[in-house]
Amino acid sequence: MQKKFKQIGILLALGFFAVAVSAQDQWRVFANLEQGRHHHVARYLNGDKILVIGGYVGSYGILDGNPTNTTEIVDLQTGQVTPGPSMATYRTEFPALDLPDGDILVFGGNSNLGPSKVVERYDVATNTW
């Protein structure tokens, strides 16, 4: 009988723990991008901002929409979103690399003209591509 009460106690404790964890781990809206986008890249800038780069915009499904050359900057202190500098190339589904000096390289991807061979460098100091 004691073993059965111990098992019930453990189940109740686990249930309470699950409720406590789910009550604490809730998502909240921090900011809203100016453009809905997918298949984009996001990178830290100076530890207090994030640069959101390219992707598809104006889509209604996972693989439709238009590649964009736009970027947005999210301020991690305030949640404010502002337009960033535009790239020369419209692109989506592309890799990005953080350089030791804080600059960012983006490579190829899909453009509005098909596969892209263009590599662009974002200069964090001047906020330009």
Side-chain angles (χ1 to χ4, degrees):
M1 186 70 117
Q2 248 184 347
K3 185 175 182 181
K4 191 168 195 152
F5 283 126
K6 187 174 182 179
Q7 289 173 339
I8 292 171
I10 290 171
L11 289 174
L12 288 173
L14 288 174
F16 175 74
F17 177 73
V19 170
V21 169
S22 66
Q24 292 172 359
D25 293 339
Q26 294 183 8
W27 289 92
R28 66 179 177 84
V29 174
F30 177 73
N32 287 303
L33 297 175
E34 307 233 346
Q35 290 186 296
R37 56 181 79 217
H38 64 92
H39 289 85
H40 56 284
V41 170
R43 289 291 188 261
Y44 281 111
L45 297 178
N46 299 327
D48 63 347
K49 292 187 172 127
I50 295 175
L51 180 66
V52 179
I53 310 165
Y56 288 110
V57 296
S59 64
Y60 295 97
I62 192 70
L63 293 177
D64 71 342
N66 301 306
T68 185
N69 66 340
T70 63
T71 67
E72 297 182 65
I73 299 173
V74 180
D75 187 312
L76 294 174
Q77 302 298 316
T78 65
Q80 182 179 2
V81 178
T82 56
S86 293
M87 297 177 287
T89 303
Y90 290 73
R91 67 179 78 228
T92 185
E93 302 178 56
F94 58 94
L97 177 68
D98 299 328
L99 298 174
D101 63 359
D103 287 1
I104 300 166
L105 288 178
V106 293
F107 303 86
N110 290 319
S111 73
N112 51 352
L113 301 174
S116 173
K117 298 188 270 182
V118 177
V119 177
E120 291 185 65
R121 182 178 183 142
Y122 172 75
D123 184 322
V124 70
T126 62
N127 191 35
T128 58
W129 288 96

